[in-house]
């Protein structure tokens, strides 16, 4: 039944959102630690080198898988959500660019920088830091920059599909949650602000999509 595709799609997306929310709030807390004490900057530098690999490779592969499956099933339910599936494919492309580049850098490290010349080696992320804000530098290697742009584009398209889903089922809170997430994605260059908004938006989306599932279960029980 078509309704099964809708239920499965929402369930997959909720799992993805749950992981995104947990992952983003952890990164946001790491950035927040920089505002507490200067010593945290050193701790952050050490931790981030390992945490980025863990937060990128392990949870993100699940995020991408659930995201793709979820919007695939939503599109099977209705072509109105095709924009979400397109977004999930773009996000997956971003993921593979990121993973390929990280793998390339690791291989280069193991071979003593023999694969790429020193001038285009990945430098640590440059941060503009003051009492109130931490902002990413725009100086990023091309693969990371391309991955970032594709990730933002794909995520926004997918969130627009969830915004539409909330409108179709008259769940205003789903639409608001999607908008909060979109604003967070677009302001991710300021990690504290963007990360906090993404964490809140995705957590609320997880709950509000659950309400749609509950309503569907009531309909099926009649």
């Amino acid at each position: 039944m078509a309704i099964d595709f809708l239920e499965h799609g929402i369930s997959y997306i909720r799992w993805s959102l749950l992981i995104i929310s947990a992952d983003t709030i952890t990164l946001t807390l790491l950035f927040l630690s920089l505002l507490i004490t200067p010593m945290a900057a050193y701790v952050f530098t050490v931790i981030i080198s390992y945490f980025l690999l863990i937060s990128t490779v392990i949870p993100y592969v699940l995020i991408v898988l659930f995201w793709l499956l979820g919007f695939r099933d939503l599109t099977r339910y209705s072509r109105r959500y095709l924009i979400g599936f397109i977004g999930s494919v773009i996000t997956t492309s971003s993921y593979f660019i990121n993973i390929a580049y990280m793998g390339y850098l690791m291989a280069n490290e193991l071979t003593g920088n023999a694969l790429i010349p020193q001038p285009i080696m990945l430098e640590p992320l440059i941060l503009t830091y003051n009492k109130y804000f931490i902002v990413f530098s725009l100086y990023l290697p091309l693969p990371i920059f391309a991955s970032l742009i594709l990730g933002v584009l794909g995520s926004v398209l997918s969130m627009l599909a969830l915004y539409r889903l909330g409108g179709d089922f008259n769940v205003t809170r789903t639409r608001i949650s999607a908008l909060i997430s979109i604003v967070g994605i677009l302001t991710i260059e300021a990690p504290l602000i963007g990360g906090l908004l993404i964490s809140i938006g995705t957590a609320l989306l997880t709950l509000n999509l659950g309400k749609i599932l509950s309503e569907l279960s009531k309909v099926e029980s009649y």
Side-chain angles (χ1 to χ4, degrees):
M1 294 174 60
I3 197 72
D4 292 334
F5 286 129
L6 178 60
E7 290 180 338
H8 293 159
I10 292 176
S11 296
Y12 283 132
I13 290 169
R14 289 186 74 211
W15 276 110
S16 184
L17 289 169
L18 184 62
I19 301 171
I20 292 170
S21 184
D23 198 38
T24 308
I25 193 60
T26 304
L27 279 171
T28 303
L29 289 174
L30 281 175
F31 279 110
L32 185 60
S33 69
L34 290 175
L35 299 179
I36 299 174
T37 169
M39 182 54 132
Y42 173 75
V43 177
F44 175 84
T45 303
V46 175
I47 292 176
I48 203 68
S49 299
Y50 301 97
F51 185 81
L52 275 179
L53 183 63
I54 297 172
S55 68
T56 298
V57 176
I58 299 175
Y60 204 23
V61 68
L62 295 176
I63 291 171
V64 168
L65 177 62
F66 288 139
W67 209 238
L68 269 173
L69 292 174
F71 283 103
R72 179 203 65 182
D73 286 349
L74 280 188
T75 303
R76 286 178 175 177
Y77 169 74
S78 173
R79 300 285 290 182
R80 283 178 51 77
Y81 308 118
L82 178 61
I83 186 176
F85 182 68
I86 293 172
S88 69
V89 171
I90 294 174
T91 303
T92 302
S93 301
S94 165
Y95 167 74
F96 280 112
I97 291 173
N98 195 23
I99 291 300
Y101 188 62
M102 290 297 179
Y104 187 59
L105 289 173
M106 290 176 65
N108 183 69
E109 184 72 20
L110 292 174
T111 57
N113 299 340
L115 300 181
I116 54 178
Q118 188 65 29
I120 57 173
M121 285 290 293
L122 174 63
E123 297 294 330
L125 289 177
I126 300 173
L127 299 173
T128 300
Y129 168 66
N130 59 43
K131 185 176 180 181
Y132 300 104
F133 295 104
I134 303 169
V135 181
F136 275 120
S137 168
L138 292 179
Y139 179 71
L140 292 173
L142 183 58
I144 299 296
F145 183 75
S147 176
L148 176 64
I149 295 300
L150 289 174
V152 168
L153 176 61
S155 299
V156 169
L157 290 176
S158 297
M159 286 298 171
L160 288 175
L162 295 181
Y163 179 87
R164 178 173 291 179
L165 180 67
D168 290 345
F169 286 88
N170 199 28
V171 181
T172 303
R173 283 175 290 186
T174 298
R175 302 176 77 180
I176 294 173
S177 303
L179 286 177
I180 293 173
S181 299
I182 289 172
V183 174
I185 292 165
L186 295 177
T187 56
I188 197 59
E189 187 189 344
L192 286 178
I193 299 172
L196 184 61
L197 289 175
I198 291 172
S199 300
I200 294 172
T202 51
L204 291 176
L205 267 174
T206 304
L207 294 173
N208 293 325
L209 288 175
K211 296 182 184 300
I212 295 178
L213 281 179
S214 298
E215 292 300 321
L216 291 174
S217 297
K218 291 178 182 178
V219 171
E220 287 185 326
S221 64
Y222 288 118

